[in-house]
Amino acid sequence: MSNTVLSLYSKAQSALLALKPTVSRAIVLAVAAVVTGLLLLVFGDGLRTLEERLGALGWTLSADETIEQRITVVAIDEKSLEYESWPWSRETMARLVTAIDAAGAQLQLHDIVYPQSREGDDALIASLRAANSAVLAQVPVLDTRQGVRTGQMSHALSGLSCANGVPNTTSFVANHAGFSGIAKGHITPIVSSDGAVREVPALICVDGAAYPALAISAFLEASGSEQWRGELSEGQSMFAAEQNLSLASYPGLQIPLTAEGNLRISYQKSPASYRAVSAVDVINGNFDKSLIENGWVLVGATAFGIGDIVPTPYSGITPGVELQARLLGSLLDAQVPYTPKGANLFLIVIAGLFALALFFIACVRDRFSSLSLPLAGLALPVLALALHIQFLSASEVWLGWLMPAIYSIVAASALILLEHMRVRSERSRVFGNLHSYLPGDVAKEIAFNLPSSSVNAKRCEATLLSADLRNFSAFGEARPPEESAALLHYFFTKATEIVESKGGRIHEFKGDGLLAVWDGHDSVAAVKALAAAQSMIKAIGEDILPQDPPEGLEPLALGIGIEQGPVLIGSIGPAQRRTHTLLGDTVTITLRIQEMTAELAQPILLGECVARQLSDQKLESQGSYLLSGLRIPHTLFSPALSQAYRSERSDQPNLTVLKGGLK
């Protein structure tokens, strides 16, 4: 399986690199769009949670600290629990309702449900009816696995169809029938996968009747209308919400909803901007009545032990009643956050602009591209988030940012990978070309390092082999240059193959000769060099070189000299024109030994140092000679194989050296 994947990847890479750079980049950007879609599809829940959490920075980075004076929370807090354990008796709740009304509240909303009939219900119901306006909570249960029906749902919104855009359920926890005359609103939240509450259904249908959320019921109750009526309509433009809810008692009011019919909760205001007073202080009259007078009051639990706690962008332990206060405030200000109908199109356009920016950056083939693509891969997601934050903080529009952010990361990464593959391919091509002219280690050094004007050489011990085609200059003079080039090409090719098969490497081709190197000056290197020389004599001298030279020309022959010793190998010359060289007496001696092969009629000659390493070989001394340009005589040796080689050559006369002669 892994081999198949690697094979497909290799083929795709080759196909991309074979195309024009602009075409391959466009293909990569298109593939990045497909990958982005797959990521959003496969990891949608986790990515949406990330989008919501970071997207809320549009609220939290510039939270509104202005005190909300229209809404006051009467909290069942820890102090209230010391007064009486929760749930409070109906008589205590009746006293609380009466105290709130006496303080001048226009409307009181109870984030509390009374599903069972209990002693004192009459007093509580009487106090609620006597109050200026009051709304109780009821809870439709959207989890279809819970088949509960407690109490009696009431105060549906007429004029609406439960067919489309409204969640339906048959389960609920409502107030008992004795509270049927008191206005109701549901407090069912939409709990995200991370436990946070970001949306509340504007309407929930139970048994075919649509019941509004508590915040919407507050508006309907405050209007004094006897009949609650509403209408759902689709957004008319790309900038409008998916749906709008209008209320007959509030002409002109359009409440924006999501495609699922939900109200998005605004977290623009800081938690500190909501005023709260302890319920026990209200009962006892120990509070500033101006906090309640002519305002709306939310009664709900804030004590940690009661359990009505939800995480928000500000805190992981926010009381649920605060969410109701946020919904009320955004409805009063007509600033309910919403996602535009054309949000996906806007995000696609943003992603397209990001793609153009990345394409332009990738087309600049210099260090700007190599540095800018990674920076763009980091900066563009931040830009997408910044655009979302700007829309949210300025106009309560939840645009979203995740899709263009993920696309820019994927696209930038893919382009970086493409450019990396292209650079590696070009570098590999350059290295291959250099390697065809220079030894591998030298080519690698040139390809991967900047040039220097200093001497870059090292001293080492090596075994050298110098091979030369004798009489080639005369041959080239008599034959067409194409024939000479073909012969020389085959000689270099075959010699290189033999040297490398014996563990050596070609240092240079020069004229009609070559110089090969083996690392070390031990017997192993000596044996390999001699084996390479013998193979070259057999494969080239006997099988390749023409045996019938043109008339008047000496036959072509191969002469090889071998020696060991210290050398200096490296690069010298100015930075703009370097040359790789091999220096030292050993180089000169090896070249001179090779020149002696013609004078001594030996195809292979060995120097003294290498001969010492070949003590187990049959070597024949050829005498001591003062080599050209040197001051110290050198004893030369030839392998016994050369004698056999000479005797097998049919075109060589079988001469016998006789002692004596003319005197």
Side-chain angles (χ1 to χ4, degrees):
M1 181 65 180
S2 60
N3 291 335
T4 303
V5 173
L6 289 175
S7 176
L8 291 174
Y9 175 78
S10 179
K11 290 180 180 178
Q13 174 180 331
S14 300
L16 279 175
L17 295 178
L19 298 172
K20 291 183 178 180
T22 53
V23 175
S24 61
R25 293 183 188 114
I27 291 175
V28 164
L29 290 172
V31 171
V34 175
V35 172
T36 300
L38 292 175
L39 289 174
L40 293 172
L41 182 64
V42 176
F43 304 103
D45 290 340
L47 292 176
R48 276 190 289 272
T49 298
L50 176 65
E51 182 176 37
E52 291 284 349
R53 289 186 174 181
L54 293 182
L57 292 174
W59 287 314
T60 58
L61 289 178
S62 57
D64 184 0
E65 301 286 347
T66 305
I67 299 299
E68 175 58 77
Q69 298 183 355
R70 300 164 299 180
I71 304 168
T72 300
V73 175
V74 173
I76 311 297
D77 54 8
E78 282 77 5
K79 182 178 180 180
S80 299
L81 296 185
E82 294 176 1
Y83 175 78
E84 182 178 335
S85 61
W86 187 257
W88 278 358
S89 66
R90 301 298 163 84
E91 291 84 356
T92 303
M93 291 302 301
R95 290 199 300 272
L96 178 61
V97 171
T98 301
I100 294 172
D101 187 63
Q106 290 184 358
L107 174 68
Q108 49 182 299
L109 302 153
H110 289 247
D111 189 14
I112 302 170
V113 183
Y114 304 100
Q116 286 86 25
S117 177
R118 290 186 181 178
E119 183 180 353
D121 280 344
D122 293 340
L124 177 56
I125 294 171
S127 63
L128 289 170
R129 288 177 175 173
N132 190 19
S133 292
V135 181
L136 296 181
Q138 53 191 2
V139 186
V141 180
L142 295 179
D143 189 349
T144 57
R145 295 171 297 179
Q146 300 184 26
V148 58
R149 294 175 68 91
T150 302
Q152 178 180 321
M153 297 288 292
S154 66
H155 289 77
L157 194 61
S158 62
L160 295 169
S161 171
C162 291
N164 298 314
V166 179
N168 284 265
T169 184
T170 58
S171 301
F172 55 84
V173 177
N175 300 279
H176 68 76
F179 291 91
S180 59
I182 310 300
K184 311 289 193 314
H186 82 76
I187 56 172
T188 301
I190 301 294
V191 181
S192 302
S193 57
D194 61 344
V197 176
R198 301 181 177 94
E199 296 178 351
V200 170
L203 305 165
I204 297 180
C205 282
V206 180
D207 297 332
Y211 296 92
L214 183 66
I216 296 175
S217 296
F219 272 72
L220 294 167
E221 177 65 13
S223 69
S225 176
E226 295 183 359
Q227 185 179 11
W228 290 8
R229 186 176 182 83
E231 182 181 355
L232 279 175
S233 60
E234 291 188 5
Q236 298 301 310
S237 70
M238 300 296 288
F239 298 95
E242 292 281 355
Q243 297 185 82
N244 290 292
L245 174 63
S246 58
L247 303 176
S249 53
Y250 285 90
L253 176 64
Q254 297 285 320
I255 302 174
L257 308 179
T258 67
E260 295 77 20
N262 297 331
L263 281 166
R264 180 177 279 276
I265 300 173
S266 173
Y267 289 96
Q268 180 65 57
K269 279 191 166 294
S270 168
S273 64
Y274 292 99
R275 302 180 302 179
V277 59
S278 176
V280 67
D281 289 337
V282 174
I283 292 175
N284 295 330
N286 299 326
F287 71 102
D288 183 359
K289 293 185 179 182
S290 64
L291 296 175
I292 292 179
E293 187 176 9
N294 295 322
W296 289 9
V297 174
L298 264 170
V299 180
T302 62
F304 185 77
I306 294 178
D308 187 17
I309 300 296
V310 294
T312 68
Y314 294 99
S315 173
I317 50 172
T318 301
V321 69
E322 182 185 301
L323 305 187
Q324 301 299 331
R326 291 184 178 279
L327 286 171
L328 282 173
S330 59
L331 284 172
L332 287 169
D333 295 329
Q335 291 185 345
V336 178
Y338 70 96
T339 299
K341 191 174 182 179
N344 289 334
L345 178 60
F346 298 150
L347 295 177
I348 290 174
V349 171
I350 293 173
L353 294 175
F354 286 179
L356 290 176
L358 291 171
F359 182 82
F360 172 77
I361 293 172
C363 287
V364 182
R365 297 298 306 279
D366 56 16
R367 294 189 67 183
F368 174 81
S369 175
S370 61
L371 294 175
S372 298
L373 274 177
L375 291 176
L378 297 175
L380 291 179
V382 175
L383 178 58
L385 178 59
L387 288 173
H388 165 83
I389 290 174
Q390 179 61 31
F391 276 102
L392 188 61
S393 59
S395 55
E396 290 288 336
V397 172
W398 185 278
L399 182 63
W401 61 275
L402 191 64
M403 189 272 281
I406 292 180
Y407 175 76
S408 60
I409 294 173
V410 173
S413 301
L415 285 174
I416 291 171
L417 179 61
L418 176 64
E419 297 308 311
H420 177 68
M421 291 190 301
R422 195 182 305 282
V423 169
R424 284 184 61 88
S425 176
E426 293 175 353
R427 181 173 290 184
S428 177
R429 190 181 304 119
V430 170
F431 176 74
N433 289 334
L434 286 173
H435 195 192
S436 66
Y437 289 91
L438 297 167
D441 56 340
V442 180
K444 185 179 296 185
E445 181 180 350
I446 294 174
F448 301 116
N449 293 284
L450 294 174
S452 170
S453 296
S454 61
V455 175
N456 183 16
K458 63 178 180 179
R459 187 182 183 91
C460 59
E461 300 289 340
T463 300
L464 306 182
L465 180 151
S466 175
D468 183 75
L469 287 178
R470 297 202 295 267
N471 305 320
F472 183 79
S473 297
F475 177 86
E477 185 179 16
R479 305 301 298 168
E482 292 81 4
E483 184 176 335
S484 300
L487 177 62
L488 201 59
H489 170 75
Y490 198 85
F491 163 55
F492 287 156
T493 301
K494 192 64 179 178
T496 301
E497 178 184 326
I498 293 172
V499 168
E500 291 181 349
S501 69
K502 302 300 181 181
R505 62 181 182 276
I506 299 297
H507 174 71
E508 68 175 347
F509 298 118
K510 189 172 183 179
D512 54 6
L514 61 85
L515 184 63
V517 182
W518 281 261
D519 293 328
H521 65 298
D522 52 14
S523 60
V524 174
V527 169
K528 289 181 178 180
L530 178 58
Q534 292 171 333
S535 297
M536 290 168 64
I537 293 296
K538 175 66 178 175
I540 299 174
E542 296 183 9
D543 300 338
I544 297 176
L545 298 182
Q547 301 302 312
D548 297 320
E551 184 177 354
L553 295 180
E554 293 290 332
L556 292 175
L558 185 62
I560 300 176
I562 304 175
E563 182 57 304
Q564 288 182 337
V567 296
L568 190 69
I569 185 169
S571 300
I572 59 175
Q576 65 271 19
R577 187 62 175 88
R578 304 283 284 175
T579 183
H580 185 69
T581 186
L582 191 65
L583 301 174
D585 291 344
T586 305
V587 179
T588 304
I589 294 170
T590 304
L591 295 175
R592 298 297 177 263
I593 292 174
Q594 179 272 318
E595 293 172 357
M596 290 294 294
T597 58
E599 296 185 22
L600 299 178
Q602 293 285 352
I604 301 175
L605 287 177
L606 309 174
E608 297 172 90
C609 295
V610 74
R612 294 191 192 99
Q613 303 293 341
L614 298 171
S615 58
D616 57 342
Q617 301 281 337
K618 294 182 179 180
L619 302 179
E620 298 176 355
S621 175
Q622 303 297 309
S624 181
Y625 300 90
L626 184 63
L627 302 178
S628 176
L630 301 178
R631 294 179 298 175
I632 301 175
H634 291 264
T635 302
L636 305 181
F637 298 84
S638 66
L641 179 63
S642 62
Q643 182 64 35
Y645 160 75
R646 291 197 307 273
S647 64
E648 291 177 1
R649 291 288 300 264
S650 59
D651 59 340
Q652 293 285 343
N654 189 9
L655 301 178
T656 302
V657 180
L658 300 176
K659 294 183 179 181
L662 295 176
K663 296 185 179 178

